[in-house]
Amino acid sequence: MTPATDPVHIRKQLLKLSLELGKPGNLLAILGEGNTSAFVDDDTFFVKASGSQLGTLNPRQLLQVRFDGILPLLDQELDQEAMEAALLAARIDPDGPRPSVETAFHAWLLRQEGINYVGHTHPVEVNKILCSDKAETFARRRLFPEEIVCCGPMSLLIDYINPGAELARAIRSGWEQFTGEQGFAPKLILLRNHGMIAVGSTPESVLATTAMAVKAAEIFNGAHILGEVVFMAPEEVDRIHNRLDEQYRRERLSLD
Ligand SMILES: [Zn+2]
């Protein structure tokens, strides 16, 4: 078994990512806010336990659950009791705690191409924007080249919706519409009045997207204080994105 598919290794990587996202100084999540997950194989993934804290997480609070116990929840209208029962039934270890209420969107995102890790946080700086009328502008426009590299040329913005299966459904339909219109998948999902989700093939890419989203938000908010925000021209954003895309394709080809 290679390290990339060894559940013990994946759990360690996910724990490291979770602890980093939960560091108090990073202002990404406090108390029980935020959650993380990692793809293990076609049948299972790890997800944070409900009620646990990212900053103090221990390995037992990263639960291995079955995709086929969670994905059907996106197409069912269940009451809270039935939903909790379904979350508990999806665990590999029946003695573990209950998986996070957000497990459904993690499951769906981890089935998308190239996504092995997901980090959901509530960063103060990003939420200042997501709790304002500037959310759409922040999602659609770009301020500097590194933001395009780490967060993509555009982010997916989702309206406020209750956490759980409803939010997972909104993310699924928003994602499908976004990829259909833009021809590429988002790296950063912004949830109005809630927080953000970074997706990536490695824990490092999830951390980079999260850190860069926070930096872009700080700059966006600072520029607003100084006056009118000056964004990069859309042609320039496209040019950088296409160059990165080209580079990525070449790297993939040389690896194949
Ligand atoms: Zn949340």
Side-chain angles (χ1 to χ4, degrees):
M1 193 178 275
T2 62
T5 55
D6 171 11
V8 177
H9 175 76
I10 294 168
R11 197 199 294 245
K12 259 190 213 159
Q13 295 270 93
L14 182 59
L15 184 64
K16 221 171 103 187
L17 169 65
S18 307
L19 293 173
E20 185 62 35
L21 292 175
K23 266 189 192 161
N26 288 342
L27 302 178
L28 300 172
I30 60 167
L31 307 172
E33 288 182 329
N35 35 63
T36 50
S37 64
F39 182 89
V40 177
D41 53 40
D42 283 344
D43 298 323
T44 64
F45 63 102
F46 283 116
V47 69
K48 176 180 171 265
S50 176
S52 59
Q53 301 192 7
L54 282 176
T56 59
L57 210 63
N58 66 58
R60 286 182 311 282
Q61 292 169 319
L62 287 172
L63 309 162
Q64 194 168 1
V65 298
R66 277 185 298 275
F67 280 111
D68 67 7
I70 301 295
L71 288 172
L73 301 178
L74 272 86
D75 298 307
Q76 292 168 356
E77 293 287 346
L78 297 180
D79 60 25
Q80 204 181 337
E81 211 175 315
M83 175 62 95
E84 297 217 351
L87 286 171
L88 289 171
R91 295 166 303 171
I92 296 289
D93 173 6
D95 297 325
R98 183 168 70 77
S100 161
V101 67
E102 303 292 24
T103 300
F105 81 62
H106 284 277
W108 191 82
L109 289 170
L110 289 169
R111 299 305 297 223
Q112 306 313 302
E113 201 194 329
I115 299 181
N116 296 319
Y117 289 87
V118 177
H120 165 53
T121 52
H122 299 180
V124 174
E125 217 50 53
V126 175
N127 274 359
K128 286 180 189 172
I129 304 167
L130 296 177
C131 298
S132 81
D133 62 0
K134 305 285 186 288
E136 184 141 17
T137 311
F138 182 69
R140 297 191 76 87
R141 305 296 307 270
R142 289 296 179 252
L143 292 156
F144 53 93
E146 294 80 7
E147 188 189 7
I148 305 167
V149 177
C150 297
C151 304
M154 196 185 285
S155 309
L156 168 60
L157 179 65
I158 304 287
D159 283 341
Y160 181 79
I161 200 141
N162 272 339
E166 259 186 283
L167 178 58
R169 276 193 284 275
I171 290 173
R172 174 175 65 182
S173 61
W175 181 284
E176 284 168 352
Q177 193 184 344
F178 183 104
T179 50
E181 284 170 7
Q182 306 300 331
F184 59 85
K187 288 184 174 194
L188 175 61
I189 304 169
L190 300 169
L191 311 172
R192 284 189 200 263
N193 299 86
H194 180 171
M196 57 164 275
I197 304 169
V199 297
S201 57
T202 62
E204 291 76 21
S205 66
V206 169
L207 275 180
T209 300
T210 305
M212 199 59 80
V214 170
K215 180 168 180 166
E218 281 174 346
I219 292 170
F220 183 86
N221 294 335
H224 261 294
I225 292 169
L226 290 175
E228 204 175 321
V229 182
V230 178
F231 294 99
M232 291 181 69
E235 312 83 78
E236 200 61 28
V237 174
D238 281 349
R239 196 179 59 76
I240 293 172
H241 172 60
N242 292 336
R243 203 176 61 204
L244 289 166
D245 210 34
E246 180 66 22
Q247 200 180 327
Y248 174 74
R249 271 197 301 269
R250 268 203 304 268
E251 279 167 12
R252 287 269 306 241
L253 282 176
S254 66
L255 285 174
D256 287 345

